[in-house]
């Protein structure tokens, strides 16, 4: 039996009051893909991401994660599906009252099945994974630099060993050097853990070095979706404009 | 694929998905099995594993007693995951929290008290410096912020203050009337209500209400402005945070408080009058006529003076704690709590001082 796609959006429509954000969006992401979600400001990229996370319910259509409908009434199954994804928020969204260590340990403790030694080992592993040292675990989020916040947030997103990783602007606010390193980090983790990644990004560099697939949101719908090379060839003013702004790097 | 462990002739074979999500439903069972298998050193066959994540790797590594088993069959991919776990030291340092010591805790409290007192004195001085500056540059006075603050902490507090004042007035009048009736001293209800409400209850009641209502709002607002760096943004535009944020709040509440006190005392007296009418048959006209005779007007000045001082104290305390908020949620909540508690305590303290220093003023002589 073929496993269901990791994410399956069917006929998604979103409206805020009278303002229509999405109209009939269909998208399916298979295991192991790295999908970049592109679109101009206000095209509803983050809204779509929030719908995939189940933070926002679409006005029409259904979202299925690992074959489980997010509108499913069975809360047990919903929770199980959500545990299989990790989210990296744009600003990190670290719990400001908890130290770095406790931030990463939090989702593990919430399982209420693991003992402290096990959790400590896992947190140290995650810290090492994102190239942080154990002493960094004692810091508070307010004491971290922008790059460190992203790395801690990534470590926390990975704490529950997710199969699906959602990234909202993973490199926004990082300098080019750090941003490159962070992208390499995500790429290496993706290979090592065989993650499925969906990211919202504006950064061509990130897109170029990470994504295998691209979906473009414009005119309230998906104007293109597929392999990166295929999408680049699509005749659409937004796509042409987007890739034309930085041609040398992509060619 | 569910994770499975099969034991046969000193050989432990693992198969299926050894991931956190797959382990959880049968964690206890697998743990027991691993313990048994780990106790007898033997061969481990992990070649049939489909997936292995670091959580399961830690579990395995611990059941092996933090050492590689003598005989191990495993895919290179999974070996790398285990190798990462193996690199961790056997005994991980536990972040030790310092033990509770009542003496140091008490000392910390005392130090914090003086620290806060110092901060408030500095803020107090800052206000006078700002006022002196604004007196020389009247064009820069933050009129709009001031009127917004008077409206928010004064005008908008009127309905709730009236409701509470009215009910207290009714209750007080009713209970006193029951006692006075038994002495036949009905007309003294005017003295009791007049003095107690105008001089004491009105100001204190309003102070407690306003501390909870406007004081907490001020602390939270300044605190969130610190968390979101809005305060810093003000500074970069050359706008003084104390002149634009703190000063209008303090002046606003100092101006608004006596007015709210006057309003609340009036409504409370009205409630008392109604209860006296119902209980003692004391006409409203008589009550109003005898009030100025029995209650010296000094009591009103004392009440309003208390309003001014209480308003200033509440706003000062609230702004002080707001400026101390560090950029995390825990600090925001604890500072808001502290602001309200400290404001109410200081108000009661100030009230006691008022009582001592005004003990010869405004007391009616018969």
């Amino acid at each position: 039996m073929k496993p269901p796609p990791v994410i399956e959006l069917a006929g998604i429509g979103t409206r805020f009051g009278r303002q229509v954000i999405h109209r009939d969006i269909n998208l399916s992401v298979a295991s192991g893909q790295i999908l970049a979600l592109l679109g101009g400001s206000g095209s509803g990229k983050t809204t779509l991401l929030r719908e995939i996370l189940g933070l926002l319910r679409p006005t029409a259509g259904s979202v299925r994660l690992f074959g489980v409908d997010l509108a499913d009434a069975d809360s047990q199954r919903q929770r199980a599906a959500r545990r299989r994804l990790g989210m990296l928020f744009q600003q990190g969204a670290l719990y400001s009252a908890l130290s770095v260590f406790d931030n990463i340990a939090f989702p593990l403790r919430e399982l209420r099945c693991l003992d402290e030694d096990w959790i400590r080992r896992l947190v140290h592993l995650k810290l090492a994974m994102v190239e942080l040292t154990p002493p960094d675990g004692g810091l508070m989020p307010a004491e971290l630099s922008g790059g460190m916040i992203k790395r801690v947030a990534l470590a926390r997103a990975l704490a529950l060993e997710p199969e699906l990783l959602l990234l909202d602007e993973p490199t926004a606010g990082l300098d080019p050097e750090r941003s490159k390193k962070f992208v390499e980090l995500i790429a290496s983790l993706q290979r090592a853990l065989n993650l499925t990644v969906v990211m919202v990004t504006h950064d061509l560099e990130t897109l170029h070095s990470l994504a295998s697939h691209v979906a473009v949101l414009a005119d309230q719908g998906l104007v293109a979706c597929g392999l990166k090379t295929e999408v680049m060839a699509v005749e659409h003013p937004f796509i042409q404009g987007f890739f034309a702004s930085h041609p040398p790097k992509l060619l | 694929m569910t994770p499975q462990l099969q034991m046969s002739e000193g050989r432990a074979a693992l198969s299926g998905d050894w991931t956190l999500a797959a382990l959880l439903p049968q964690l206890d069972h697998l743990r027991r099995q691993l313990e048994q298998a780990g106790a007898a050193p033997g061969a481990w066959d992990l070649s049939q594993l489909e997936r292995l994540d670091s959580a399961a790797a830690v579990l395995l590594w611990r059941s092996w007693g933090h050492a590689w088993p003598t005989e191990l069959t495993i895919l290179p991919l999974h070996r790398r995951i285990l190798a990462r776990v193996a690199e961790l030291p056997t005994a991980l340092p536990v972040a030790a929290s310092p033990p509770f010591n009542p003496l140091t805790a008490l000392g910390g409290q005392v130090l914090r008290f003086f620290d806060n007192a110092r901060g408030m004195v500095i803020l107090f001085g800052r206000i006078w410096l700002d006022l002196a500056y604004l007196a020389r540059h009247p064009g820069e006075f933050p009129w709009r912020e001031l009127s917004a603050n008077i409206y928010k902490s004064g005008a908008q507090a009127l309905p709730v203050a009236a409701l509470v004042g009215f009910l207290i007035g009714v209750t007080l009048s009713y209970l006193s009337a029951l006692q006075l009736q038994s002495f036949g001293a009905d007309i003294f209800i005017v003295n009791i209500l007049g003095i107690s409400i105008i001089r004491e209850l009105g100001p204190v009641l309003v102070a407690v209400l306003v501390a909870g209502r406007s004081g907490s709002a001020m602390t939270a607002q300044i605190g969130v402005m610190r968390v979101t760096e809005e305060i810093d943004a003000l500074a970069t535009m050359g706008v003084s945070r104390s002149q634009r944020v703190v000063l209008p709040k303090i002046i606003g509440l100092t101006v608004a408080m006596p007015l709210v006190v006057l309003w609340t005392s009036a409504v409370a007296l009205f409630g008392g009058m109604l209860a006296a009418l119902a209980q003692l048959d004391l006409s409203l006209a008589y009550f109003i006529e005898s009030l100025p005779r029995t209650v010296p007007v000094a009591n009103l000045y004392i009440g309003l003076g208390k309003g001014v001082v209480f308003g200033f104290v509440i706003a000062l305390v609230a702004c002080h704690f707001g400026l101390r908020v560090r950029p995390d949620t825990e600090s925001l909540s604890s500072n808001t709590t502290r602001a309200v508690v400290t404001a109410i305590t200081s108000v009661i303290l100030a009230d006691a001082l008022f009582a001592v220093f005004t003990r010869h003023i405004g007391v009616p002589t018969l």
Side-chain angles (χ1 to χ4, degrees), chain B residues 10-33:
Chain B
R11 237 182 123 71
L14 273 61
S15 62
D17 281 348
W18 281 68
T19 59
L20 188 58
L23 284 177
L24 282 178
Q26 38 180 334
L27 188 58
D28 288 329
H29 173 64
L30 286 170
R31 259 189 183 166
R32 265 197 306 278
Q33 279 194 321

Side-chain angles (χ1 to χ4, degrees), chain A residues 124-147:
Chain A
H124 277 94
L125 277 175
K126 303 293 161 196
L127 281 174
M129 234 180 233
V130 297
E131 290 156 10
L132 290 172
T133 57
D136 294 331
L139 295 175
M140 297 304 281
E143 299 167 315
L144 302 178
S145 68

